Amino acid sequence: LSDVILDNQPYNENYEDITWEESSLRAWLNGKFINRAFSDEEKENINITEIVNQDNPYYGAEGGNNTSDKIFLLSLSEVSEQQDGEKYGFLDDEIRACGKSDFSKTGSWWWLRSPGYASDSAAVVSSRGWVARSGRDVYYFYDGVRPTLHLNLSSPHLFSYAGTVSSDGTKNEVPYNTRTRLVQN
């Protein structure tokens, strides 16, 4: 999971009922974004992930078909802390609340791939880490993108640990195993 919002994109370019599978944001992440952000050799080391697209557990909006993606967004179940008193997400408030990069034009809310209250909305996370299960209209263009991927770490010459930088610019030297916890879940 990127530690900051990398860009602002609508979940879908048109206001319509849509699922993650058919969204313009999924197409952008696995097309234009991946091709600009990674070299061919780096792209070969991004694993294809089988994505389960669940219905919204609070409103019942349909999640759609499962997909196979190299780059994806997290779901409600991956970011939420509790459902029916059970902890099941693996992100805490500090990780959900994030800053934006120089490329992010506006806002610091970010999209999830899960539907919102209806099929013309998608769930989002606020700048303070609050999960908005009801979501926003899919064509809303101010929300950010925090791409997620599963990286094949068997080619260590391609990647090096860069540490982390918080939204206020302070460097934080987190042990590498702690930093990769999200990738391993």
Side-chain angles (χ1 to χ4, degrees):
L1 174 65
S2 64
D3 58 352
V4 295
I5 293 169
L6 297 183
D7 201 349
N8 296 90
Q9 294 285 325
Y11 187 89
N12 198 56
E13 292 174 352
N14 298 312
Y15 182 58
E16 61 187 333
D17 289 345
I18 197 82
T19 62
W20 171 247
E21 178 184 24
E22 299 297 326
S23 71
S24 61
L25 183 51
R26 176 177 177 248
W28 178 80
L29 283 169
N30 287 283
K32 195 176 210 178
F33 173 78
I34 196 171
N35 289 325
R36 288 186 176 176
F38 301 98
S39 70
D40 288 341
E41 189 176 17
E42 289 168 336
K43 285 188 281 191
E44 288 177 23
N45 285 282
I46 299 173
N47 294 332
I48 295 173
T49 302
E50 298 302 316
I51 304 296
V52 176
N53 295 304
Q54 299 170 328
D55 296 349
N56 184 306
Y58 305 95
Y59 299 97
E62 186 179 333
N65 296 324
N66 293 342
T67 57
S68 299
D69 299 319
K70 284 197 168 215
I71 311 286
F72 56 96
L73 301 181
L74 294 178
S75 68
L76 274 171
S77 66
E78 292 165 325
V79 301
S80 298
E81 289 192 50
Q82 291 189 31
Q83 180 175 335
D84 301 325
E86 297 288 324
K87 183 172 174 81
Y88 68 103
F90 55 86
L91 292 186
D92 59 25
D93 290 342
E94 187 177 342
I95 295 172
R96 283 194 307 261
C98 70
K100 53 188 177 178
S101 71
D102 292 340
F103 299 106
S104 178
K105 300 167 200 72
T106 59
S108 52
W109 289 53
W110 50 282
W111 293 110
L112 299 174
R113 73 174 182 271
S114 301
Y117 65 91
S119 296
D120 60 358
S121 64
V124 291
V125 176
S126 78
S127 59
R128 295 187 179 193
W130 175 70
V131 179
R133 300 175 196 124
S134 61
R136 291 204 210 252
D137 293 336
V138 295
Y139 69 95
Y140 189 78
F141 59 91
Y142 292 113
D143 286 337
V145 181
R146 287 182 76 183
T148 304
L149 57 87
H150 287 125
L151 186 61
N152 177 352
L153 297 174
S154 65
S155 299
H157 71 282
L158 281 180
F159 306 99
S160 62
Y161 179 61
T164 61
V165 178
S166 67
S167 59
D168 66 0
T170 308
K171 283 196 171 200
N172 181 11
E173 292 302 321
V174 177
Y176 189 71
N177 289 342
T178 303
R179 181 79 171 116
T180 59
R181 174 174 56 93
L182 297 178
V183 175
Q184 296 171 354
N185 279 330

